[in-house]
Amino acid sequence: MPQTDMFDADLPADSELASRQDRASALREQLHAHAHRYYVLDDPLIPDAEYDRLFNELQALERAHPELLTADSPTQRVLGKVLDGFTPVRHAVPMLSIRTETDTEASGAEVFDARVRRELGLLDDAPPVEYAAELKFDGLAINLRYEHGVLTQAATRGDGETGEDVTQNIRTVGQIPLKLKAHGIDAPKVLEVRGEVYMRRDDFDRLNERQREHGEKTFVNPRNAAAGAVRQLDPAIAAKRPLSFFAYGLGDVQGWEVPPTHSELLDALAAWGLPVCEHRTVAQGASGDGGLVGFHRRIGALRDQLPFDIDGVVYKVNRRALQEELGFVTREPRWAVAHKYPAQEQLTQVEAIDIQVGRTGKLTPVARLKPVFVGGVTVTNATLHNLFELRRKRVRVGDTVIVRRAGDVIPEVVGVVAGERLSYVPNFAMPTSCPVCGSDVVRERGEVDHRCTGGLYCAAQRKQALLHFAQRRAMDIEGLGDKLVDQLVDAGLVRTLPELYKMGLTKLAALDRMADKSAQNLLAALEKSKAATLPRFLFGLGIRHVGEATAKDLARHFGQMDRIMDASIEQLLEVRDVGPVVAHSIRTFFDQPHNREVVEQLRAAGVTWPEHEPLTESDSSTLPLAGKTLVLTGTLPSLSRDEAKAMIENAGGKVSGSVSKKTHYVVAGEEAGSKLEKAQSLGVPILDEAGLRELLAAAVADAAAPEPESP
Ligand code: D41
């Protein structure tokens, strides 16, 4: 070959040809491998949309450069192999495929209508063509053969000519009648019904949950779960996989007059007892609400609320006479088209795994993704929910993952494409301190979520903490609602609870839509809120698991904020209705120096709470044992521990678990141990049950004495 000049135009052309050839053969190999996993093993590595993308690329390449075409190209045959375990079934009438309108815009309907009209030779002013519009179920095409009304055979589509006999498995599908419903006419000699076997989303979720519980492999989506079930060799296992079915067409028919339109055909199939989807319509032409475009739009809006997955809608020329006139191209009827919606799953790469702290303090691992267009938007982040989900899915940085975005739902990582990790990547670990505020991160026993314990100190939880603090049942700061909190935080005016009380009129009034008058009102409301009560203040702090009732119990039990802040787990457990989870939550909260600081700063800002809140003053401090702490130890002759505790508390006293100098009485029964000894050594008065009863009676008498008049 003569030496070619560097700038010879032939040179790039030659190398282009070589790289095109390489690309085509690489695509063919990939498609073969993926098709095998998808069709034969029912265990695809990539989402359908990614497969379609590769397929389309190869098809475009072969079209533009026919010399690249090879006989074994996946574009040259319908895919799908007969598994060893199933008997092949030759379809009496081939199962056609359906043309897909690649255009996902609404104009797909118009393109189809225009083509139909052209092929039927209709003039522009001819009336609209009538279409039957239905859903495109995302399942597995199946042929059901009924002979004299009895289901005799069910077969997969296979390559359209030959499928597999899956009668055993299909017979387990409750929705599929084993016998056609009698409705006054004789069942046809032969009726072949075609439709889609699919799995409902709730069934899918339950199935996966069960699989997980049994330590078995889970499925990435309902379609794969359905396909796996239909081609399950053991019908007993297939029977446990919840499948559903919708009919949408016919195969071989003998001894039945097929209705003249598709819509009437579906009505007739429904009358035979076959499941037919209710979301279907008869449309006049393409345009407008009454046309295919309107149906496409309506179903698009409904898509995410449907209990099953669809990947598009299907338009069919309604009149069979017209269908016959239009005929077929290769294996696709000219009278039908599938119009897809944007794929809800795509492949992309995980670039990093970050932690997001939510308004409630929940830490969520989030995958930062190479941007990918999925479900109609570009997605760059996807939730991994929690550490357990992340571990279960085995997601690591650098992995290629399937991302799903359905409707308004937050995009999520469905799973990892296996076998692509190139080097060692460490497993992701949850941080032990909050990435936002540095507070401890905890996970409660039996819970999957990790949480920041920073609470009102944590910037991520700021707005939530402020709203909670301001609410009526807490500090009751009138006028401090959602919008204002957003504004204050976003403007940087308030970062912590104490800063609420440091706002000046000038800065406040400078806020958008904030008149002088409203600023003054807010300041007045803040001022008024300073005179708080202990239970309201405590509740307002937003300690996890401390609701209004618990806050009241705590206030009544301890009487003072400082005692609550310093209470040990043991002491907290003495409070009525406080169990280990709540006690831990309170302890952890006050173990965060930031949280103690917030309390101190609020105090410094002038927020006050009487040591005994007014509500309990009426029930409690006027009560006979108000302010008295008793300790119970040993077994009393007639009272159970709980009964004694209730009697003391009803009289306004507190029951503590440990004896100290502050203990007023120790009530000792049989087999009293170290607490009795301690009381003796400290000189704390010791009572038996009779003594306790006496004390209560005496106290009641005291309390009945007239109170001094209030000034
Ligand atoms: O919901 C579907 N997946 C669906 C599939 C449908 N609603 N209608 C369909 N109609 C046909 C023709 C027009 C050939 C009777 C189809 C399919 N075919 C089909 N699905 C898989 C291969 C062919």
Side-chain angles (χ1 to χ4, degrees):
M1 242 174 102
Q3 183 76 34
T4 345
D5 188 279
M6 274 284 281
F7 300 100
D8 191 321
D10 282 352
L11 183 67
D14 271 344
S15 74
E16 248 172 54
L17 177 67
S19 76
R20 268 204 303 272
Q21 238 153 16
D22 287 348
R23 183 68 190 150
S25 78
L27 285 169
R28 276 196 295 269
E29 258 171 53
Q30 279 184 40
L31 286 165
H32 278 309
H34 287 309
H36 176 74
R37 294 205 60 129
Y38 185 88
Y39 285 99
V40 182
L41 305 180
D42 284 329
D43 186 19
L45 284 177
I46 57 172
D48 299 0
E50 178 66 9
Y51 183 90
D52 290 349
R53 200 188 59 70
L54 296 171
F55 191 92
N56 292 342
E57 186 188 338
L58 179 60
Q59 204 165 39
L61 206 56
E62 289 170 342
R63 272 208 204 107
H65 308 281
E67 75 276 9
L68 295 177
L69 197 59
T70 62
D72 72 349
S73 174
T75 59
Q76 297 306 296
R77 65 184 162 96
V78 183
L79 297 164
K81 259 193 200 155
V82 175
L83 272 181
D84 290 340
F86 292 110
T87 315
V89 173
R90 196 164 173 85
H91 296 297
V93 175
M95 284 181 84
L96 302 174
S97 46
I98 190 159
R99 182 192 163 99
T100 299
E101 202 54 68
T102 44
D103 175 20
T104 51
E105 298 302 309
S107 64
E110 269 143 8
V111 171
F112 171 60
D113 180 51
R115 194 167 54 234
V116 166
R117 292 179 71 88
R118 193 178 61 241
E119 278 159 6
L120 288 174
L122 295 177
L123 297 175
D124 285 352
D125 56 359
V129 174
E130 189 175 273
Y131 297 102
E134 62 199 37
L135 306 185
K136 185 167 189 295
F137 314 108
D138 201 6
L140 187 76
I142 215 110
N143 183 68
L144 304 175
R145 186 176 175 90
Y146 289 91
E147 293 176 5
H148 301 289
V150 176
L151 178 69
T152 54
Q153 189 178 63
T156 61
R157 177 168 174 275
D159 65 3
E161 298 287 339
T162 308
E164 294 165 335
D165 188 328
V166 289
T167 315
Q168 283 304 314
N169 291 343
I170 289 302
R171 284 176 66 93
T172 68
V173 179
Q175 287 196 343
I176 295 178
L178 297 177
K179 198 164 188 266
L180 294 179
K181 203 167 93 186
H183 58 290
I185 37 175
D186 280 347
K189 179 165 178 274
V190 173
L191 178 67
E192 284 188 358
V193 178
R194 286 172 182 176
E196 205 84 354
V197 171
Y198 66 96
M199 195 177 285
R200 291 169 53 98
R201 280 199 277 261
D202 53 357
D203 285 336
F204 168 76
D205 290 339
R206 274 195 292 270
L207 171 64
N208 261 355
E209 208 163 293
R210 216 167 56 211
Q211 294 285 105
R212 252 194 302 278
E213 273 168 20
H214 292 94
E216 281 170 55
K217 100 170 212 195
T218 53
F219 301 92
V220 286
N221 58 39
R223 196 219 160 266
N224 292 317
V230 169
R231 307 169 84 231
Q232 170 58 243
L233 283 167
D234 179 355
I237 297 179
K240 290 187 195 144
R241 306 273 165 89
L243 294 173
S244 302
F245 176 81
F246 279 132
Y248 56 64
L250 287 181
D252 191 14
V253 177
Q254 296 170 35
W256 186 49
E257 196 180 322
V258 179
T261 62
H262 184 71
S263 51
E264 288 163 291
L265 165 63
L266 294 184
D267 293 341
L269 293 180
W272 287 116
L274 288 149
V276 172
C277 182
E278 55 170 338
H279 298 290
R280 58 190 173 102
T281 194
V282 172
Q284 306 296 331
S287 62
D289 262 2
L292 297 174
V293 171
F295 183 75
H296 183 263
R297 192 180 40 70
R298 283 195 300 280
I299 298 299
L302 193 70
R303 183 183 186 189
D304 297 312
Q305 281 125 263
L306 291 171
F308 47 81
D309 282 353
I310 59 167
D311 54 358
V313 288
V314 176
Y315 311 137
K316 295 173 180 174
V317 170
N318 205 22
R319 297 233 144 254
R320 223 153 37 81
L322 292 182
Q323 291 176 2
E324 276 157 17
E325 198 178 325
L326 285 159
F328 307 87
V329 255
T330 54
R331 287 157 180 275
E332 295 168 352
R334 281 204 192 85
W335 48 267
V337 76
H339 190 182
K340 288 210 180 187
Y341 291 114
Q344 291 178 321
E345 288 184 1
Q346 289 289 356
L347 275 194
T348 190
Q349 243 133 30
V350 178
E351 293 182 332
I353 298 175
D354 287 348
I355 289 295
Q356 225 164 49
V357 185
R359 282 163 59 91
T360 59
K362 178 183 174 253
L363 270 63
T364 305
V366 175
R368 305 285 175 213
L369 306 168
K370 208 169 133 209
V372 62
F373 193 72
V374 52
V377 299
T378 300
V379 167
T380 53
N381 302 311
T383 180
L384 290 158
H385 300 292
N386 57 56
L387 186 65
F388 297 90
E389 279 291 297
L390 186 157
R391 289 271 163 82
R392 190 171 66 68
K393 290 172 183 163
R394 300 172 194 282
V395 181
R396 303 208 194 171
V397 173
D399 284 353
T400 300
V401 292
I402 300 168
V403 176
R404 181 179 171 84
R405 181 188 176 273
D408 298 333
V409 181
I410 303 166
E412 66 164 347
V413 171
V414 179
V416 174
V417 175
E420 287 207 0
R421 201 171 289 148
L422 291 175
S423 58
Y424 175 74
V425 179
N427 218 338
F428 176 82
M430 266 310 195
T432 51
S433 58
C434 173
V436 176
C437 74
S439 300
D440 291 349
V441 167
V442 297
R443 182 175 61 83
E444 283 163 19
R445 224 182 308 152
E447 292 209 359
V448 293
D449 293 326
H450 287 72
R451 283 178 189 280
C452 164
T453 53
L456 39 85
Y457 172 78
C458 181
Q461 301 168 67
R462 230 165 242 166
K463 289 182 181 177
Q464 170 110 330
L466 287 166
L467 271 175
H468 181 83
F469 188 71
Q471 69 175 292
R472 203 154 48 78
R473 295 181 299 145
M475 300 297 276
D476 194 15
I477 307 172
E478 227 184 296
L480 186 54
D482 243 329
K483 288 206 181 83
L484 192 49
V485 164
D486 278 353
Q487 236 183 330
L488 294 177
V489 173
D490 295 344
L493 232 55
V494 176
R495 280 165 311 179
T496 63
L497 299 184
E499 282 182 6
L500 271 176
Y501 294 100
K502 293 182 190 144
M503 288 187 295
L505 185 63
T506 357
K507 278 199 175 161
L508 248 182
L511 288 177
D512 264 2
R513 294 184 304 275
M514 174 69 82
D516 255 17
K517 183 75 191 148
S518 4
Q520 271 164 7
N521 286 346
L522 179 62
L523 290 179
L526 280 162
E527 199 53 39
K528 193 172 143 212
S529 76
K530 283 184 183 172
T533 68
L534 184 52
R536 279 169 174 272
F537 179 73
L538 201 52
F539 171 61
L541 291 178
I543 306 167
R544 203 164 141 73
H545 300 303
V546 176
E548 260 182 303
T550 307
K552 273 185 193 158
D553 287 344
L554 286 166
R556 171 185 279 194
H557 185 97
F558 291 101
Q560 293 169 25
M561 191 63 199
D562 296 321
R563 296 187 60 197
I564 299 171
M565 297 208 295
D566 293 335
S568 66
I569 297 277
E570 235 177 50
Q571 290 168 327
L572 288 165
L573 285 171
E574 283 161 20
V575 181
R576 187 164 39 135
D577 289 340
V578 170
V581 171
V582 184
H584 263 100
S585 173
I586 298 167
R587 196 54 261 144
T588 323
F589 184 89
F590 288 117
D591 276 344
Q592 310 302 310
H594 316 308
N595 291 338
R596 303 179 79 94
E597 223 165 275
V598 166
V599 173
E600 290 322 315
Q601 285 175 7
L602 284 167
R603 228 197 284 253
V607 177
T608 59
W609 48 87
E611 296 205 341
H612 295 277
E613 65 129 355
L615 197 147
T616 51
E617 230 155 78
S618 61
D619 330 326
S620 189
S621 48
T622 60
L623 286 173
L625 286 186
K628 300 274 188 278
T629 304
L630 288 80
V631 172
L632 297 167
T633 179
T635 313
L636 300 176
S638 72
L639 291 173
S640 73
R641 195 190 146 76
D642 282 347
E643 285 165 357
K645 189 176 183 221
M647 280 168 69
I648 294 166
E649 284 175 348
N650 287 339
K654 279 181 288 237
V655 174
S656 166
S658 57
V659 182
S660 73
K661 276 185 293 190
K662 291 183 187 161
T663 309
H664 293 91
Y665 300 97
V666 167
V667 182
E670 287 217 359
E671 281 175 80
S674 62
K675 288 180 191 172
L676 178 58
E677 279 166 32
K678 191 161 183 196
Q680 282 162 340
S681 74
L682 290 172
V684 174
I686 295 160
L687 306 171
D688 57 9
E689 184 181 313
L692 173 65
R693 289 182 188 278
E694 251 170 61
L695 177 69
L696 288 168
V700 169
D702 273 359
E707 272 183 64
E709 280 202 15
S710 47

